[in-house]
Amino acid sequence: MWSYISGVISLGLIYVIATVGLAVFTGFTGLFSLGHAAFFAIGAYTAAILTYFYGFNFYVALAMGGAAGGLVGFLIGYPTLKAKLRTDYFAIATLGFGEAIRVLLENLPITQGARGLPGIRNETSLPVLMVVAFIVIWFAWNLIHSRHGRACIAIREDFVAAEMMGVNIFIGRLRSLVFSAFCAGLAGGLFAHYFCFIQPSMFTSYMSTQMTAAVVAGGMGSISGPVIATLIFIGIPEALRVANIWRLVAYGLLLVLIMIFRPQGLMGYRELSLDLVKGWYRRVWKGGRA
Amino acid sequence: MFVQTLLTGLAIGGIYALMAVGYSLVFSILNFSNFAYGSIIMLGAYISYFSMVKLGLPIGVALALSILGAALLCYLNERLAYAPLRKRRASSLFFMISAMGTAIFLENLVYAIVGAHFYAFPEVFTKRNITFHGVSIGVLDVFAIAFSFAAIYALHYFLQKSRTGIAIRAASYDIQVCSLNGVNDKHLIGLVFCLAGGLAGISGTFLGMKYIVYPTMGWITNKAYIAAVIGGLGSLPGAVVGGILLGVTETFVSAYVSSVVRDVFSFSLLVLLLMVMPTGLFGRFLEEKV
């Protein structure tokens, strides 16, 4: 029983790491990435190839996986963000990017194509995941409360005004994208060494969808919201043993319903804090205004 | 070989153009990416498949049913998922998320209900080939080219000559001023979605005949978005040019280089073009409103 619970928590934490990155990017710059699974895949393959074929130390490989994700994020972000694409154009460019990476993974010799890489060392344990997740969340928290984070919020709210005030839109967006690609790569490396097997078909739009859904449902512009949403998204279907496919149907419906009824999401530009919990407590138990 | 490839490219480019036009039409009025459009195309393919195979209807009736069904779905999509947002004057980001949600919902609903089976259309034209001066082309391809261009031309004629068409073109410049001048914008938007849905029915049917019918219809419907972006979102001539350009270049790449790099190529084409021309080939300069 414990191994089952720890399995669910581990999977949840892997997704939390990736989603926090996406929350920093999408929630704080307002740009959508529809190909985030590609960064995840790049991290997973880089880390797995390093430990599998070259016998690298797990932690070194993990860092290299994250770095590879970040580097690719930089390579894709530099031209597209430099061109100041509209949100829609950027989203479609990342969509194409995600597909292109998957095709490459299926055809490169080192990734062994669609067969995938079986028998990767099992290195990811729950403590490792907890430490990495803690560091990533702590870092993301500091990032968005820094000068950079405030600049990003300004860009999201009104990028013309932000530019007028001397905020460099390009640098702000690119830094967020690289950070989020790094997180996705890190999560990918952990994923590969948790399941001990990866193949290109694991990193489809399903994964990107789940991350985007968690960020939107958790509330854009929040870190704790998406973290809670991810844990709910992983935990509840696992507990109820819902078939994968109905899960996705529900995600789709949820996105539409959230947009209609509660566009700010679960937390909506706020963070989980003691004051917030106290406010809820008062509202529920005392019936008065918080 | 050259003429042969060109013709094959035109046949697939015609379908891409048709899809891109439907997608761009909605964009030109409401200024957001209707990512649900790909799933409407997919459902159009299912409608014509089932009416041909399960109900034994002839191809013409199946096509008509698919046009009607897809138009209805597209209309319902607008009423249920976008109209509430429009009332609230939500930003285009929220529309995009809602559209993504609809796409995920519809795609996976088909997975869950119909299953991931691959359905091949009964062979109506596929077997026969016309050979002319050593160049052979499938009857289906001829029919697809002719029908796509006829549909696009009919739409063009409608937009240019009819009163409603003029209203639609006016709305694509400024929907508020247009409704101030006595156009019922609710009906107009409904009509635009019906038109787009009709095009989705046609392109879905041809895609289904040319390839195979399955829930994600692969990467093909995403090509519509890429084609529209290449041409410039919101521009109908741009969508046609983008679709044909994408179809023809892709066919040449798969014929002369390799079919594996085809998708990587179309993605690189997209990014390169956006770097040089951030609004696509024919895009109006659309500043994002804050």
Side-chain angles (χ1 to χ4, degrees), chain A residues 66-90:
Chain A
L71 181 70
V72 174
F74 179 79
L75 291 178
I76 181 73
Y78 191 84
T80 47
L81 295 173
K82 191 81 185 169
K84 276 200 205 162
L85 297 181
R86 282 180 52 99
T87 321
D88 311 81
Y89 286 70
F90 182 80

Side-chain angles (χ1 to χ4, degrees), chain A residues 31-32 34 80 83-97, chain B residues 23-24 27 31-33 35 96 225-235 267 270-271 273-275 277-288:
Chain A
L31 284 175
F32 262 87
L34 301 181
T80 47
K84 276 200 205 162
L85 297 181
R86 282 180 52 99
T87 321
D88 311 81
Y89 286 70
F90 182 80
I92 289 163
T94 54
L95 185 78
F97 160 73
Chain B
Y23 164 69
S24 222
F27 188 93
N31 248 317
F32 78 97
S33 281
F35 285 124
M96 218 166 87
Y225 307 141
I226 290 187
V229 168
I230 288 176
L233 277 175
S235 154
F267 164 69
L270 175 76
V271 171
L273 188 92
L274 286 178
M275 275 162 69
M277 304 171 95
T279 50
L281 288 174
F282 294 86
R284 286 176 287 157
F285 189 69
L286 289 165
E287 260 306 318
E288 253 173 309

Side-chain angles (χ1 to χ4, degrees), chain A residues 87-89 99 157 209 260, chain B residues 33 88 104 219 233 288 290:
Chain A
T87 321
D88 311 81
Y89 286 70
E99 257 344 274
E157 292 302 318
T209 300
I260 295 175
Chain B
S33 281
R88 215 177 53 217
I104 298 161
W219 159 235
L233 277 175
E288 253 173 309
V290 205

Side-chain angles (χ1 to χ4, degrees), chain A residues 26 30-32 34 76 79-80 83-104 107 155-160 173 205 209 212 216 220 245-246 248-253 255-256 258-264 269, chain B residues 23 27 31-33 35 80-82 84-85 88 92-102 104-105 107-113 219 222 225-226 228-229 232-234 260-261 263-264 267 270-271 274-275 277-280 283-284 286-290:
Chain A
T26 296
L31 284 175
F32 262 87
L34 301 181
I76 181 73
T80 47
K84 276 200 205 162
L85 297 181
R86 282 180 52 99
T87 321
D88 311 81
Y89 286 70
F90 182 80
I92 289 163
T94 54
L95 185 78
F97 160 73
E99 257 344 274
I101 289 292
R102 208 166 55 81
V103 171
L104 278 180
N107 291 291
I155 295 171
R156 181 193 65 201
E157 292 302 318
D158 186 335
F159 65 85
V160 179
R173 285 177 170 171
S205 54
T209 300
T212 309
V216 173
M220 308 239 294
I245 206 69
W246 286 105
L248 280 168
V249 175
Y251 287 158
L253 196 61
L255 282 184
V256 178
I258 286 174
M259 283 301 108
I260 295 175
F261 296 110
R262 197 179 157 81
Q264 72 271 38
Y269 306 113
Chain B
Y23 164 69
F27 188 93
N31 248 317
F32 78 97
S33 281
F35 285 124
L80 297 175
Y82 308 141
L85 301 182
R88 215 177 53 217
S92 70
L93 186 68
F94 292 149
F95 280 95
M96 218 166 87
I97 300 172
S98 192
M100 260 159 53
T102 315
I104 298 161
F105 174 73
E107 213 166 77
N108 292 293
L109 197 65
V110 171
Y111 257 121
I113 292 173
W219 159 235
N222 287 343
Y225 307 141
I226 290 187
V229 168
L233 277 175
V260 168
V261 299
D263 289 343
V264 180
F267 164 69
L270 175 76
V271 171
L274 286 178
M275 275 162 69
M277 304 171 95
T279 50
R284 286 176 287 157
L286 289 165
E287 260 306 318
E288 253 173 309
K289 299 202 178 73
V290 205

Side-chain angles (χ1 to χ4, degrees), chain A residues 5-285:
Chain A
I5 294 172
S6 88
V8 175
I9 296 174
S10 302
L11 189 62
L13 285 176
I14 290 173
Y15 275 105
V16 161
I17 293 166
T19 310
V20 163
L22 191 64
V24 166
F25 181 62
T26 296
F28 286 88
T29 62
L31 284 175
F32 262 87
S33 165
L34 301 181
H36 235 63
F39 298 124
F40 201 96
I42 288 166
Y45 269 97
T46 309
I49 285 169
L50 286 178
T51 56
Y52 187 71
F53 289 114
Y54 301 103
F56 268 57
N57 177 286
F58 168 60
Y59 298 97
V60 177
L62 202 59
M64 300 277 266
L71 181 70
V72 174
F74 179 79
L75 291 178
I76 181 73
Y78 191 84
T80 47
L81 295 173
K82 191 81 185 169
K84 276 200 205 162
L85 297 181
R86 282 180 52 99
T87 321
D88 311 81
Y89 286 70
F90 182 80
I92 289 163
T94 54
L95 185 78
F97 160 73
E99 257 344 274
I101 289 292
R102 208 166 55 81
V103 171
L104 278 180
L105 290 179
E106 272 169 10
N107 291 291
L108 287 177
I110 189 94
T111 58
Q112 298 189 0
R115 270 184 302 149
L117 297 171
I120 302 165
R121 291 208 305 263
N122 183 2
E123 299 265 14
T124 306
S125 58
L126 195 53
V128 172
L129 275 170
M130 284 165 120
V131 170
V132 176
F134 177 78
I135 294 172
V136 165
I137 293 173
W138 176 77
F139 194 85
W141 183 272
N142 281 333
L143 190 68
I144 60 165
H145 287 92
S146 69
R147 188 184 160 80
H148 164 81
R150 288 191 296 274
C152 281
I153 294 171
I155 295 171
R156 181 193 65 201
E157 292 302 318
D158 186 335
F159 65 85
V160 179
E163 200 169 23
M164 293 298 220
M165 299 305 287
V167 174
N168 189 330
I169 297 186
F170 171 64
I171 297 286
R173 285 177 170 171
L174 187 63
R175 208 181 275 159
S176 306
L177 177 63
V178 170
F179 173 70
S180 94
F182 177 84
C183 291
L186 209 57
L190 291 164
F191 179 88
H193 293 89
Y194 179 73
F195 285 102
C196 305
F197 171 63
I198 47 174
Q199 65 181 128
S201 63
M202 285 174 164
F203 311 101
T204 50
S205 54
Y206 164 74
M207 205 173 241
S208 306
T209 300
Q210 179 162 303
M211 288 191 252
T212 309
V215 171
V216 173
M220 308 239 294
S222 163
I223 295 285
S224 48
V227 169
I228 298 168
T230 306
L231 292 176
I232 294 174
F233 279 6
I234 300 289
I236 289 184
E238 281 297 333
L240 299 176
R241 307 302 307 153
V242 185
N244 236 344
I245 206 69
W246 286 105
R247 227 184 264 193
L248 280 168
V249 175
Y251 287 158
L253 196 61
L254 191 70
L255 282 184
V256 178
L257 292 177
I258 286 174
M259 283 301 108
I260 295 175
F261 296 110
R262 197 179 157 81
Q264 72 271 38
L266 190 66
M267 303 299 291
Y269 306 113
R270 286 177 306 183
E271 297 294 348
L272 187 65
S273 65
L274 208 57
D275 286 343
L276 196 65
V277 176
K278 274 185 200 156
W280 286 341
Y281 173 79
R282 267 188 228 117
R283 241 189 297 181
V284 172
W285 293 106

